[in-house]
Amino acid sequence: MALLQLRGVGRTFSGAVEVTALDGVTLDIEAGEFFAIMGPSGGGKSTLLNTIGLLDHPTTGTYTIAGDDIGGSTSRRLAETRSETFGFVFQGFHLLDHRPVRDSVELGLLYRAVPADRRRILADRALEQVGLDGLGDQLAAKLSGGQRQRVAIARALAAGTPVVVADEPTGNLDSENGASVVETLLALRDEGTTVVLVTHDPTVARAADRVAHLRDGRIESVATNEVAVASALGTGGPADATVVTEPTRASSAPRSTGEGGAGHRPERPGRPSRLRFRDLADDAVRSVTSRLGKTAGLVVAVAVAVALAVASLGLSVSAGAQVGDTFDLHTNRDVGVSWDSPVDPTAEGEAPGAIGAGAVVAPFGSPEAAADVAGRLARVAELSGVESVGALHERGSAVVRATAVRDALQAPVVSIEGSLLAAARVDVEWLARHGPTLGDREVLIGRSLAAQLPLGPLAAAPVITLGDAEVAVVGIVDESPRVPSLVGAVTTGAHSLPGVETPSQTSVLIRTGAGAAQQVARQAPLAIDPVAAETFRVDAPIDPTTLRAEIESDVESTLLAFTGVALLAAVAGLGNSMVLAVLERRKEFGLRRALGARPSHIAGLVLAESVVIGALGGLLGLALGLGAVLVMTVARQWIPVFDLRLAPAALIGGVIVGAAGGLVAAWRASRIEPHEALRL
Ligand code: ADP
Ligand code: MG
């Protein structure tokens, strides 16, 4: 039985106009023969060859290979049979131009899951067979046309398929190179390979065992070579052709091997239509790096997005740290503890030492009360982390008068004890040569109250009336950020003054070292009075870590939004460019399919390439982003904070962008039909 049997095979292309490319072709091709197909352009030669090579499917008729009807085969089975049976040589050589010659030769073996070292051996042997030994490492693009076509033949050879299908392999070559290609094909035939070839060239056809003549999709004749060639040259006619069904071995080139068996070459390494993951990844990396000029733009697109992401995240961490530090330095070191002072100092007291709402200790200004407050402040001052501590007593309001002629004003009065001015960061302009403490009958006047009175120059050591007493003004309160009311009040020492209320409320203000506020806030009430600690009101800053986290998350979410947009733009850009790249490489994907790749292998390759681009972009973006963070933080004299998690995140981000960007292109590539892609 013939190796390849076509029975009434028809192929119709539907479209705007329906084209019948093949019309009832019945043909037997024997194992081991050199079979040529000739005929006018558009006659259906390529369609017939593609059908034979399983790159195209007949719309009618049956086709059997070594007795197997391939009619009902799944596309996977077809890919396997194709990979198992056929090697292809095309008019346009379809090499991986920017990669070493060896890569092109190995391609068929790649889709047979042959291990790399074995691929290399087989490829080098095949190159030797076509007379290109030693050229394996050359870039394919550097070879001459004839050499390129011999590389294509070597590719068919290396896979060891029993049939080589060649569509006008000499069409792009001068006669000398054409002759050497024909010689190579003859040598193949002599080793037992079945060669099916389409040609316009009578001298090429002359080498064939038999020649079929195809016109308008129909076989006009199948003849032994002399007759067929004569007919093709117009020196005879189809009518003179001896139509034979059995091949005659009339070729001048006698066979050396391959007479036995079904003409199958002995060595067919690997398994058909299989691809190892490692090879896929390796192929993708080589594919991307071999076209670095074209892929650099894509890598940069991803890199910019990732850099933006890295810079955003990096800056937000640095900025957050900076905000937190600033916050630590200034605002979160103030702790206050306050309580209501004894309402009526003359009422009967409870046990001495008890303090709290309504409790009575000792009359304000008395030595006992003074000792009590001073003792409390001393205990607080001993707590670790306390820098300064003082007490502030609210004493309602009192009548203030600057001079006898002016109207009296009602102004708030407070008393201070300990290092209150330091603890509350009060800025006082003191009378020259006056120490920073208040003696008996000495007061400070707030700047705005001084203006209202009006007080006159401080240097004149003004004396005012406060309640029923004359007091000396020894300083002006310019600023009091923590207790702003001091700017509009009279501040006295802890003495009782006639006509001024005793305190209704007392606050202990504490200034702590950085980071100590929380701890001091917990300990201060106990230090003041362990028994009444729970009745005190404690003012502590928000836990800085909470505040910091809030600020950081605010900054971060804004920057993340930008980042998201940048990444989406990268996905869209990459996706678009990958689709364009796939369209540009249709022939390559068609060829890979011809060599046994399944649609999923093609999709995998495109996706893997996209991921490689994404990963490269991710790494480049990481470097750019960290550089940007460094420049920006240094410019602002911040301390750059690098989050180590950014490195893997950038890589993974790049990979995800790559994968997402490659999805559509991968799908498009997998749908490329080899017979359409490879049409010239
Ligand atoms: P040849 O190789 O002999 O020049 P082809 O087999 O390429 O001829 O083409 C035979 C006919 O089928 C032509 O009319 C061609 O336009 C048509 N044809 C071939 N392939 C396709 C296709 N994929 N889609 C539509 N028409 C096609
Ligand atoms: Mg053609």
Side-chain angles (χ1 to χ4, degrees):
M1 186 185 25
L3 177 63
L4 310 175
Q5 283 190 331
L6 292 90
R7 292 287 172 271
V9 164
R11 176 67 164 103
T12 306
F13 292 105
S14 49
V17 208
E18 197 164 272
V19 179
T20 302
L22 293 180
D23 186 6
V25 172
T26 294
L27 196 63
D28 285 326
I29 296 174
E30 300 293 332
E33 74 170 319
F34 191 142
F35 191 92
I37 301 165
M38 295 190 79
S41 208
K45 302 183 298 296
S46 293
T47 305
L48 176 58
L49 206 65
N50 289 341
T51 304
I52 288 172
L54 299 180
L55 295 178
D56 198 357
H57 327 293
T59 34
T60 55
T62 58
Y63 177 31
T64 56
I65 298 173
D68 272 347
D69 187 347
I70 56 91
S73 302
T74 60
S75 72
R76 180 183 176 147
R77 178 83 197 110
L78 282 176
E80 283 173 359
T81 310
R82 183 162 64 233
S83 161
E84 186 80 329
T85 316
F86 299 102
F88 295 87
V89 180
F90 300 94
Q91 180 174 353
F93 321 116
H94 301 321
L95 304 184
L96 303 173
D97 280 338
H98 305 290
R99 293 167 62 173
V101 162
R102 193 179 290 109
D103 286 5
S104 289
V105 180
E106 287 182 7
L107 205 53
L109 298 169
L110 197 73
Y111 292 111
R112 298 181 61 87
V114 177
D117 46 351
R118 183 128 173 74
R119 286 207 302 269
R120 195 188 164 96
I121 293 169
L122 290 169
D124 286 348
R125 189 188 298 165
L127 282 170
E128 202 182 308
Q129 269 177 285
V130 300
L132 295 177
D133 25 333
L135 288 186
D137 294 315
Q138 279 269 8
L139 282 191
K142 293 217 170 127
L143 301 187
S144 73
Q147 287 175 318
R148 285 156 68 74
Q149 194 59 297
R150 279 187 281 156
V151 171
I153 294 171
R155 176 169 58 204
L157 260 174
T161 51
V163 183
V164 167
V165 165
D167 195 350
E168 308 203 28
T170 61
N172 282 344
L173 302 179
D174 58 31
S175 58
E176 196 181 322
N177 277 311
S180 101
V181 163
V182 170
E183 246 168 62
T184 311
L185 290 173
L186 276 174
L188 264 186
R189 190 272 319 267
D190 290 345
E191 283 173 16
T193 302
T194 309
V195 177
V196 184
L197 162 137
V198 164
T199 186
H200 272 117
D201 185 344
T203 49
V204 173
R206 194 171 292 140
D209 296 323
R210 288 193 299 154
V211 179
H213 210 82
L214 197 65
R215 184 188 295 273
D216 296 334
R218 297 174 157 275
I219 300 273
E220 284 189 335
S221 63
V222 180
T224 52
N225 65 342
E226 294 92 343
V227 180
V229 169
S231 121
L233 287 169
T235 53
D240 303 328
T242 314
V243 178
V244 289
T245 47
E246 286 301 309
T248 54
R249 312 274 185 210
S251 162
S252 53
R255 270 146 214 273
S256 50
T257 57
E259 283 292 352
H264 288 226
R265 288 157 53 80
E267 187 167 55
R268 236 169 317 148
R271 299 187 304 153
S273 196
R274 286 290 183 321
L275 179 61
R276 286 147 37 115
F277 182 77
R278 258 191 59 187
D279 290 335
L280 172 76
D282 193 55
D283 195 13
V285 170
R286 283 163 188 254
S287 183
V288 168
T289 50
S290 73
R291 288 173 297 119
L292 217 46
K294 287 194 174 178
T295 45
L298 303 182
V299 171
V300 168
V302 177
V304 166
V306 172
L308 211 59
V310 169
S312 299
L313 294 174
L315 271 184
S316 79
V317 174
S318 292
Q322 191 64 27
V323 168
D325 287 350
T326 310
F327 182 77
D328 283 347
L329 276 174
H330 297 296
T331 50
N332 72 339
R333 294 164 53 193
D334 294 337
V335 175
V337 181
S338 59
W339 63 86
D340 295 328
S341 303
V343 181
D344 183 359
T346 58
E348 279 295 304
E350 293 170 27
I355 124 148
V360 176
V361 189
F364 179 76
S366 71
E368 295 88 346
D372 191 34
V373 172
R376 292 173 174 190
L377 295 182
R379 286 197 294 279
V380 172
E382 276 166 17
L383 295 176
S384 85
V386 172
E387 284 183 355
S388 50
V389 56
L392 183 81
H393 308 282
E394 312 253 354
R395 300 181 67 177
S397 60
V399 175
V400 183
R401 196 195 308 264
T403 59
V405 264
R406 303 295 302 201
D407 290 338
L409 280 178
Q410 194 75 18
V413 182
V414 299
S415 294
I416 59 173
E417 279 190 79
S419 308
L420 188 277
L421 295 177
R425 305 193 298 281
V426 181
D427 187 9
V428 178
E429 180 195 351
W430 292 94
L431 189 61
R433 289 187 300 280
H434 195 284
T437 49
L438 292 174
D440 195 12
R441 307 278 160 136
E442 285 181 345
V443 299
L444 302 175
I445 297 280
R447 175 67 70 193
S448 70
L449 179 61
Q452 272 176 287
L453 279 172
L455 189 64
L458 178 63
V463 172
I464 60 168
T465 310
L466 174 64
D468 301 328
E470 298 244 301
V471 293
V473 176
V474 296
I476 306 283
V477 174
D478 276 326
E479 268 181 71
S480 175
R482 202 170 161 191
V483 190
S485 62
L486 291 192
V487 177
V490 180
T491 303
T492 74
H495 319 284
S496 55
L497 284 166
V500 178
E501 289 172 31
T502 56
S504 56
Q505 199 190 53
T506 295
S507 304
V508 172
L509 301 190
I510 307 165
R511 177 84 173 146
T512 75
Q518 299 298 314
Q519 194 190 334
V520 169
R522 281 191 300 274
Q523 295 174 346
L526 294 167
I528 292 168
D529 187 337
V531 177
E534 281 172 13
T535 65
F536 300 152
R537 291 180 294 274
V538 178
D539 267 333
I542 307 169
D543 184 352
T545 48
T546 318
L547 187 72
R548 228 168 134 137
E550 272 170 25
I551 294 171
E552 281 172 16
S553 84
D554 272 3
V555 176
E556 246 168 36
S557 55
T558 311
L559 291 173
L560 274 177
F562 282 120
T563 302
V565 171
L567 290 178
L568 276 184
V571 169
L574 182 63
N576 204 32
S577 309
M578 284 300 292
V579 167
L580 289 178
V582 159
L583 294 181
E584 228 173 70
R585 291 164 66 197
R586 285 185 51 162
K587 286 194 193 307
E588 182 198 324
F589 294 127
L591 176 83
R592 286 173 181 270
R593 287 289 303 279
L595 295 179
R598 282 183 235 150
S600 59
H601 295 154
I602 301 295
L605 176 67
V606 172
L607 211 54
E609 285 186 24
S610 200
V611 163
V612 169
I613 289 170
L616 288 177
L619 291 178
L620 183 61
L622 178 67
L624 289 176
L626 290 183
V629 171
L630 199 63
V631 167
M632 287 196 258
T633 51
V634 166
R636 292 181 184 205
Q637 297 179 326
W638 289 359
I639 298 157
V641 179
F642 292 118
D643 188 340
L644 283 182
R645 287 169 302 177
L646 280 179
L651 189 61
I652 292 168
V655 164
I656 290 173
V657 167
L663 276 180
V664 173
W667 179 75
R668 292 283 290 267
S670 74
R671 285 170 44 103
I672 289 174
E673 283 292 335
H675 69 92
E676 282 175 3
L678 293 170
R679 272 177 83 189
L680 280 172

